Amino acid sequence: MLYFPRWKTYLIIAVCVLGTILSLPNFLSRETLAALPGWYAGTRVNLGLDLRGGSHLLLEVDMNAVIHDRVEGLVDSARTQLRTANIGYTAINAGDRGITVQLRDPAQADDAVKALRPLSNNIGGGALGGGQPDLDIRTNGGTITAGLSEVALRDRATQAIEQSIEIVRRRIDETGVNEPIIARQGNDRILVQLPGVEDPDRIKRLLGTTAKMTFRLVDMNADPTTGRAPPGSEVLPSTEGGRNQPSYVVRKKVEVDGANLKNATAGTNPQTGEWVVNFEFDNVGARRFADVTRANVGRPFAIVLDNKVISAPVIREPITGGRGQISGSFTAAGANDLAVLLRAGALPAPLKVIEERTVGPDLGADSIRAGLMAVSVGFVLVCAYMLAAYGLFGAFACFALLINIVLTLAALSMLHATLTLPGIAGILLSLGLSVDANILINERIREETKKGRGVFGAMEAGFSRAYSTIVDSNLTTVIKMALLFVFGTGAIKGFAVTITFGILISMFTATVLVRLMMVSWLRQSRPAALPV
């Protein structure tokens, strides 16, 4: 226990020096960091929302829109199924949770039910099949109702929130925000925290846009000025040239879905210099796009985003390469934002901002100062106690505590972890937990000295007997922090990470670094008694 080979001594010193170097960028100014290599200047701890400032948003998924889309899809599908089965009907009406079909001949009710059953999706069947249908189909004479069951509503809500979280994460990642917090809250809400965001309105626009893009043919036989459209078409407003008025009658049939887009990038038209969005389809979309443009040369082809026509170019020739261009008087920011939305994909339902809070950088700076003051005061008080209780050995423990903080910052910097106020509290708490190991060792050494052991024997026994207790106590704490990290969210995870790093590093500083300092002092001074 008291023997240190030269290579081990050098390794311990190298770890301490390397940790100090890696933690330095956290204390340097921006001007100084700009002069350093990028790989080194980037090894810094990311500050959380409460320290750096930023935006806090609570979003709500519009579940009514999710159900409405499913019901509207049922209307079209039911019409197709009944026509295929040669079953006559007088009306198909959409309700809040399902559809109602009025049959011409009530005697065909059983056949109509059989025709409508394939429209139902199984819930909870998994890869092996089974499960239960999401539609509850009932007959009442010549009237058939097909409504979504309660299980189906819950399943659609779960799918919508999970899909929305994934798409929100993609959109925010495209903006370059560091360490955002995106988590589900409740049944239909999403918590979004964006540290350091200087333009929260842009983020709100990105998250509040459904970005459901479709490509549809313009109905050239209808007059958009009447405000009415023939069956199978609808009047949609246009955003071309900054206008926002009914200007196009568009077929309801979707010729190509935006879900088939593979990539979208902002660029400029080399001929006009205006900003455009270049898009590329996957194999399925490219094939469908080629078929539609080949069959409709000379007709306007509307590009519809969230029920607004953003462009309606005339098809001059078949487009077979799977690539196209969207123009529409875009600014640079508008073209880039649209490209971000298309790359991330469409939301399954609109998101509403129901809570918004902004943390200013001044408040974050106050929090940093308060946190640093708390850590400094805690460090001074701990060191004062250790010096008063154990003298020189207490000074060794204080130096080990300082190295512990430095190595913890270095570890967090290497992982680009996010530091929040609870994280600073975790560092403060880890100081007390780290010094516990030194107290156990010093008390063991003191007990062995009182029993009459010699200098080397007392120190050897103190370290060897305290080691198992230190490992057991730290292991149980690490297990608790692991549970907090797994089941916690946001700041709770940050607290667990800092505590865990502090404890694991204390195993090195308290039992290895302090032992090296004690042994080095013992060999040089050869004292007759230990200063404990």
Side-chain angles (χ1 to χ4, degrees), residues 133-149:
D134 66 342
L135 291 181
D136 184 12
I137 303 176
R138 299 181 182 180
T139 60
N140 183 11
T143 302
I144 299 177
T145 58
L148 294 170
S149 63

Side-chain angles (χ1 to χ4, degrees), residues 443-459:
E443 287 297 329
R444 284 289 188 179
I445 293 175
R446 180 176 290 175
E447 290 176 4
E448 297 300 326
T449 301
K450 289 180 179 179
K451 291 179 181 179
R453 280 181 176 267
V455 173
F456 286 94
M459 187 176 293

Side-chain angles (χ1 to χ4, degrees), residues 94-113:
D96 293 335
R97 295 173 50 174
I99 62 172
T100 303
V101 180
Q102 297 289 340
L103 299 177
R104 286 198 182 97
D105 184 4
Q108 291 185 303
D110 291 339
D111 294 334
V113 170

Side-chain angles (χ1 to χ4, degrees), residues 219-365:
D219 191 341
M220 302 179 65
N221 298 321
D223 183 5
T225 59
T226 62
R228 290 181 294 180
S233 299
E234 60 182 335
V235 180
L236 295 181
S238 170
T239 60
E240 285 186 295
R243 301 193 308 272
N244 191 5
Q245 56 186 358
S247 55
Y248 287 102
V249 178
V250 180
R251 297 282 187 184
K252 290 184 178 180
K253 180 184 178 183
V254 175
E255 302 293 343
V256 186
D257 198 319
N260 295 120
L261 285 175
K262 184 170 66 174
N263 191 22
T265 57
T268 56
N269 189 320
Q271 297 177 348
T272 63
E274 66 176 355
W275 281 93
V276 297
V277 177
N278 301 301
F279 60 87
E280 181 181 0
F281 286 108
D282 58 16
N283 292 333
V284 175
R287 185 166 54 253
R288 181 61 183 159
F289 197 67
D291 293 341
V292 174
T293 55
R294 186 181 296 112
N296 295 277
V297 174
R299 294 187 60 180
F301 200 26
I303 304 174
V304 182
L305 180 68
D306 292 342
N307 290 324
K308 292 182 180 179
V309 179
I310 60 175
S311 183
V314 176
I315 303 173
R316 302 297 181 187
E317 58 184 6
I319 303 174
T320 59
R323 292 181 175 87
Q325 190 178 90
I326 304 173
S327 60
S329 301
F330 292 116
T331 61
N336 279 286
D337 287 348
L338 178 56
V340 167
L341 293 172
L342 296 182
R343 285 197 301 269
L347 290 166
L351 295 177
K352 295 183 292 184
V353 179
I354 62 173
E355 181 182 330
E356 178 184 2
R357 294 201 303 268
T358 301
V359 180
D362 293 337
L363 181 60

Side-chain angles (χ1 to χ4, degrees), residues 9-349:
T9 302
Y10 290 155
L11 180 60
I12 295 171
I13 295 174
V15 169
C16 296
V17 172
L18 181 61
T20 303
I21 294 174
L22 292 177
S23 64
L24 276 179
N26 295 289
F27 304 99
L28 300 178
S29 63
R30 291 186 177 180
E31 292 76 13
T32 305
L33 289 173
L36 297 175
W39 64 267
Y40 179 58
T43 56
R44 302 183 68 188
V45 175
N46 294 315
L47 298 180
L49 181 67
D50 50 1
L51 298 180
R52 188 180 175 186
S55 184
H56 167 104
L57 300 173
L58 187 61
L59 309 173
E60 185 177 54
V61 179
D62 187 356
M63 297 310 304
N64 290 329
V66 176
I67 299 172
H68 176 76
D69 289 345
R70 171 64 169 146
V71 172
E72 287 296 321
L74 284 176
V75 172
D76 293 335
S77 300
R79 186 178 291 115
T80 301
Q81 289 291 105
L82 293 176
R83 286 176 179 173
T84 302
N86 294 320
I87 298 174
Y89 58 90
T90 58
I92 299 179
N93 300 315
D96 293 335
R97 295 173 50 174
I99 62 172
T100 303
V101 180
Q102 297 289 340
L103 299 177
R104 286 198 182 97
D105 184 4
Q108 291 185 303
D110 291 339
D111 294 334
V113 170
K114 291 180 181 179
L116 295 177
R117 275 199 183 121
L119 302 181
S120 182
N121 299 320
N122 287 336
I123 302 174
L128 299 178
Q132 53 183 324
D134 66 342
L135 291 181
D136 184 12
I137 303 176
R138 299 181 182 180
T139 60
N140 183 11
T143 302
I144 299 177
T145 58
L148 294 170
S149 63
E150 291 295 335
V151 177
L153 294 176
R154 290 194 297 269
D155 181 70
R156 286 206 159 262
T158 300
Q159 291 182 5
I161 195 71
E162 290 177 352
Q163 186 179 354
S164 297
I165 289 174
E166 180 60 29
I167 293 173
V168 166
R169 181 174 287 108
R170 288 184 206 162
R171 292 184 181 182
I172 291 177
D173 287 344
E174 291 276 358
T175 64
V177 177
N178 287 328
E179 297 293 332
I181 295 175
I182 305 168
R184 179 175 180 173
Q185 191 170 88
N187 294 326
D188 57 356
R189 294 181 179 181
I190 302 172
L191 173 67
V192 179
Q193 291 186 345
L194 308 171
V197 170
E198 298 178 355
D199 187 7
D201 290 336
R202 182 196 175 208
I203 300 295
K204 286 167 58 180
R205 288 194 299 270
L206 288 177
L207 300 184
T209 303
T210 307
K212 186 174 183 180
M213 176 172 282
T214 55
F215 296 79
R216 307 191 228 167
L217 292 171
V218 175
D219 191 341
M220 302 179 65
N221 298 321
D223 183 5
T225 59
T226 62
R228 290 181 294 180
S233 299
E234 60 182 335
V235 180
L236 295 181
S238 170
T239 60
E240 285 186 295
R243 301 193 308 272
N244 191 5
Q245 56 186 358
S247 55
Y248 287 102
V249 178
V250 180
R251 297 282 187 184
K252 290 184 178 180
K253 180 184 178 183
V254 175
E255 302 293 343
V256 186
D257 198 319
N260 295 120
L261 285 175
K262 184 170 66 174
N263 191 22
T265 57
T268 56
N269 189 320
Q271 297 177 348
T272 63
E274 66 176 355
W275 281 93
V276 297
V277 177
N278 301 301
F279 60 87
E280 181 181 0
F281 286 108
D282 58 16
N283 292 333
V284 175
R287 185 166 54 253
R288 181 61 183 159
F289 197 67
D291 293 341
V292 174
T293 55
R294 186 181 296 112
N296 295 277
V297 174
R299 294 187 60 180
F301 200 26
I303 304 174
V304 182
L305 180 68
D306 292 342
N307 290 324
K308 292 182 180 179
V309 179
I310 60 175
S311 183
V314 176
I315 303 173
R316 302 297 181 187
E317 58 184 6
I319 303 174
T320 59
R323 292 181 175 87
Q325 190 178 90
I326 304 173
S327 60
S329 301
F330 292 116
T331 61
N336 279 286
D337 287 348
L338 178 56
V340 167
L341 293 172
L342 296 182
R343 285 197 301 269
L347 290 166

